[in-house]
Amino acid sequence: EPEVTQTPSHQVTQMGQEVILRCVPISNHLYFYWYRQILGQKVEFLVSFYNNEISEKSEIFDDQFSVERPDGSNFTLKIRSTKLEDSAMYFCASYSGGPQETQYFGPGTRLLVL
Amino acid sequence: LAKTTQPISMDSYEGQEVNITCSHNNIATNDYITWYQQFPSQGPRFIIQGYKTKVTNEVASLFIPADRKSSTLSLPRVSLSDTAVYYCLVAGGFKTIFGAGTRLFVKA
């Protein structure tokens, strides 16, 4: 069964450093998403991406964040200058766009900012 | 965006049927209702999705009344491994809002 994959599974970084989280969505999907989940809290929407541009973003997704689909398979989330409060699980999801389809989530990247 | 309201937590015993109800009073005409399951440190996993009436798959059933302002996820004969957080989502368009979810504890 096709699945969304994410790399790395864990990343530790120093405050102020840039990180890039990578996702490979399901191959025939057209819509891509990033979410984050701070430990013990609910899943929070960050951004959605369709047709090579951002469709929607939350207030969390400020100028420190960017997304890119550099090739036909990868979808990346970049945090330019990490802060301690960026420590969280980051989930990528993809969706085919079909009316009775849904988003499928990756296993997540655990980011720890020291 | 339709806001969802679910019980914060529920307890059950192995072998019992569990019903989790979600309220979504402001659901839009084009919105589907989707339920996800999440284990600690894992991504949400799709369980079931519906628009109206009843939907059943190999793991759950989803009951949606005619007004669609609520939905009930039914898990038949739960096991210890069903202990997880269950999220009800009402999604339309590009933005998906998760509620706090329902923490289900299944006891032996």
Side-chain angles (χ1 to χ4, degrees), chain A:
Chain A
E1 180 178 313
E3 58 184 17
V4 177
T5 60
Q6 291 184 241
T7 55
S9 58
H10 295 77
Q11 179 146 6
V12 181
T13 190
Q14 295 291 322
M15 189 170 56
Q17 294 296 304
E18 175 184 284
V19 295
I20 298 176
L21 309 182
R22 291 182 168 79
C23 169
V24 179
I26 295 173
S27 63
N28 63 341
H29 283 192
L30 303 176
Y31 298 80
F32 314 112
Y33 308 81
W34 283 101
Y35 297 83
R36 79 171 186 191
Q37 187 174 33
I38 295 170
L39 186 63
Q41 298 186 23
K42 67 179 183 181
V43 177
E44 299 175 290
F45 169 83
L46 292 178
V47 66
S48 59
F49 190 87
Y50 170 71
N51 200 26
N52 285 319
E53 61 182 22
I54 291 174
S55 312
E56 188 87 47
K57 60 182 180 180
S58 72
E59 56 279 3
I60 301 169
F61 194 88
D62 61 21
D63 292 344
Q64 292 300 311
F65 291 88
S66 62
V67 290
E68 194 177 31
R69 188 155 162 83
D71 52 43
S73 60
N74 290 287
F75 179 51
T76 62
L77 174 69
K78 181 192 291 186
I79 309 175
R80 289 191 182 82
S81 179
T82 50
K83 302 187 284 286
L84 296 177
E85 53 264 37
D86 292 328
S87 296
M89 284 286 284
Y90 288 82
F91 296 107
C92 172
S94 70
Y95 162 54
S96 67
Q100 296 188 44
E101 287 295 321
T102 188
Q103 295 179 37
Y104 291 89
F105 285 76
T109 293
R110 182 178 294 281
L111 176 65
L112 178 60
V113 182
L114 301 177

Side-chain angles (χ1 to χ4, degrees), chain B:
Chain B
L1 287 166
K3 180 183 174 182
T4 60
T5 304
Q6 306 173 231
I8 294 173
S9 66
M10 295 181 70
D11 289 348
S12 182
Y13 289 92
E14 281 189 294
Q16 289 188 333
E17 178 184 82
V18 170
N19 296 307
I20 306 174
T21 296
C22 177
S23 298
H24 28 80
N25 291 318
N26 297 322
I27 189 168
T29 304
N30 294 332
D31 289 342
Y32 276 76
I33 299 155
T34 310
W35 286 80
Y36 286 89
Q37 175 192 58
Q38 188 182 31
F39 298 113
S41 299
Q42 295 186 27
R45 185 176 75 96
F46 171 78
I47 302 175
I48 197 166
Q49 178 174 273
Y51 184 79
K52 60 180 179 180
T53 64
K54 178 184 175 181
V55 180
T56 297
N57 62 21
E58 62 275 9
V59 297
S61 295
L62 179 59
F63 300 91
I64 305 167
D67 65 6
R68 304 200 328 120
K69 293 182 184 298
S70 67
S71 58
T72 299
L73 173 72
S74 180
L75 303 172
R77 298 178 300 282
V78 294
S79 63
L80 295 175
S81 61
D82 291 319
T83 293
V85 179
Y86 292 82
Y87 293 99
C88 159
L89 274 71
V90 174
F94 295 110
K95 193 170 185 178
T96 305
I97 303 298
F98 279 76
T102 297
R103 293 184 178 276
L104 173 65
F105 296 97
V106 180
K107 306 172 193 175

